[in-house]
Amino acid sequence: MAKRRTVPIILLLVALAGIVTFSQGFRPIDTIALLVCGIVAGASLAALAVGRRKP
């Protein structure tokens, strides 16, 4: 059970670090990278939510 939550938490932390890093400059590539990090963060939060529902 702990392993199920570990991967989404690690992805969430990496995505949040990416958001902080890429928000420093707003070139087009930074905007795309920020969008990708946001998608990964949302997906990892969704995976955590699904994991909480299962007994």
Side-chain angles (χ1 to χ4, degrees), residues 2 4-5 8 13-15 19 21-22 26 35 38-39 44 48-49 55:
R4 229 185 243 172
R5 292 181 64 183
L13 292 175
V14 170
I19 289 171
T21 302
F22 292 120
F26 282 108
L35 178 64
I39 290 169
S44 63
L48 285 172

Side-chain angles (χ1 to χ4, degrees), residues 3-50:
K3 187 170 182 154
R4 229 185 243 172
R5 292 181 64 183
T6 303
V7 173
I9 290 174
I10 291 172
L11 284 176
L12 179 62
L13 292 175
V14 170
L16 291 176
I19 289 171
V20 169
T21 302
F22 292 120
S23 67
Q24 300 297 320
F26 282 108
R27 296 175 303 203
I29 191 68
D30 292 329
T31 305
I32 293 168
L34 190 61
L35 178 64
V36 169
C37 288
I39 290 169
V40 171
S44 63
L45 285 175
L48 285 172
V50 168

